[in-house]
Amino acid sequence: MKTLIAANWKMHKTRAEARRTAQAVADGAPRGTDRSLIVFPPFTAVAEVAAVFAGREGLAVGGQDVYPAEKGAFTGEISPAMLADAGATWVLTGHSERRRVLGESDALVGRKTAFALDAGLNVMLCIGETLEEREAGTLEEVLRRQLREGLAGVAADAAATRAAVAYEPVWAIGTGKVAGCAEVLEAHALTRRLLAEILGPAADAVPLLYGGSVKPDNAAALLALDNVNGLLIGGASLEAESFLRIAEAR
Ligand code: PEP
C-alpha cells in the first residue's frame, strides 16, 4: 500500500498563492517513491492546483467537501462531477470542522461518502473523538458509530480500492497537541478492527491516516507505527517546505 501524505489547506490561499505553493510542492516532491501526495485546496483553487500537478505521477488534488447530489437547488454546495471537472480525484468527507462548525451529522457524512465513491472519486473519510468523549471512555463507541454511518451504503470493493480513513482526534487538530504514539497506535488498531467488522477482509486494503498537529519533527515517528499508512496535515501543510519535509520523513 502506498503511503498517503495529504495537505488540508482549509480556508487558506488565493488562487495565485495556491499556484505558487502547488508549484513548490511539485518541484520538490520526491519522484518514484512509495508515497503519494494529495492536496486539498479550497474549491476556488482546485483547478489551479490540478493544472500544476497535471501529468505528475504521485501528485493529486481533492475537494474539502462535496454534496451528495448530481445538481440542483443546493446553494453553496458542489457536486462530485464539478470537483472532477476541476481536476479533483479525491474528496474529504466528515472533517471535524464540518461536523462541529457546520453541524454535519454522521448520516450526512455517510451520504456524501457513498455518493462521491459512486461518482468515481476517491474519498478520505475523517473520524475522531473529542476530548470529552475520550475522557468519558467512549472512544470505541464514537469511532464505531462514525465508521458505520460514514460507510453506510459503501460496497467493500469500492472502499478497498478508493477509500481512505483519516483518524483525527478533535483535541489534536490545530492545537499543537499531537496524540502520543501509544494513543495513535491504539486508535489505529481499533479503527482497523472496526473497519473489518464493517467491510470484512477488504478492511486491510484501506489506508489509515493520522491527522492532528503533525509537524516535520513528529512525522517519522508517526509513520513508523503499525496501521499508520499516511498523514493528513493542516497547519504544517500551508508552506511547501514543511509539507515536503513531512512527505520525506522516514
Ligand atoms: C486537519 O485539519 O485535518 C489537521 C490535521 O490540522 P492540523 O494539522 O493543523 O492539526
Side-chain angles (χ1 to χ4, degrees):
M1 182 186 303
K2 272 204 167 196
T3 299
L4 303 180
I5 308 290
N8 176 12
W9 287 353
K10 310 193 186 194
M11 199 170 74
H12 292 282
K13 297 190 188 292
T14 62
R15 287 183 303 149
E17 289 165 348
R19 224 172 16 247
R20 274 197 297 277
T21 310
Q23 191 62 60
V25 168
D27 291 344
R31 290 180 189 253
T33 68
D34 56 345
R35 302 210 167 167
S36 286
L37 275 47
I38 310 162
V39 172
F40 295 96
F43 294 143
T44 47
V46 168
E48 306 285 337
V49 176
V52 174
F53 288 178
R56 277 289 304 275
E57 201 170 323
L59 297 181
V61 61
Q64 294 175 15
D65 188 34
V66 67
Y67 193 74
E70 265 172 44
K71 58 171 80 164
F74 304 106
T75 302
E77 297 298 326
I78 193 157
S79 72
M82 289 168 180
L83 287 175
D85 182 51
T89 52
W90 280 88
V91 69
L92 288 176
T93 57
H95 191 279
S96 68
E97 286 150 18
R98 299 224 46 100
R99 293 178 190 267
R100 302 177 62 72
V101 184
L102 283 307
E104 285 193 11
S105 65
D106 291 315
L108 178 57
V109 172
R111 283 171 49 219
K112 291 181 175 197
T113 303
F115 196 87
L117 281 169
D118 281 350
L121 290 173
N122 298 285
V123 177
M124 191 174 292
L125 167 66
C126 303
I127 60 169
E129 82 289 2
T130 62
L131 191 58
E132 298 73 56
E133 289 166 335
R134 174 169 276 268
E135 286 177 349
T138 58
L139 174 68
E140 178 162 346
E141 184 189 315
V142 169
L143 298 191
R144 178 179 280 111
R145 190 193 68 236
Q146 291 179 344
L147 285 169
R148 278 202 183 282
E149 297 202 29
L151 293 169
V154 170
D157 62 334
T161 50
R162 284 186 294 108
V165 171
Y167 168 68
E168 301 203 299
V170 178
W171 46 271
I173 296 181
T175 58
K177 251 189 241 171
V178 65
C181 284
E183 286 159 322
V184 176
L185 197 61
E186 183 202 9
H188 277 237
L190 173 61
T191 302
R192 186 72 74 199
R193 176 163 64 74
L194 295 172
L195 272 180
E197 281 178 12
I198 299 164
L199 301 173
D204 286 345
V206 178
L208 302 187
L209 290 80
Y210 169 78
S213 298
V214 174
K215 303 278 181 283
D217 60 3
N218 59 26
L222 290 162
L223 284 169
L225 299 173
D226 262 2
N227 285 309
V228 174
N229 313 115
L231 300 169
L232 177 56
I233 306 121
S237 74
L238 292 173
E239 298 294 333
E241 198 258 58
S242 73
F243 180 58
L244 287 170
R245 280 173 59 207
I246 293 169
E248 282 159 16
R250 291 190 191 263

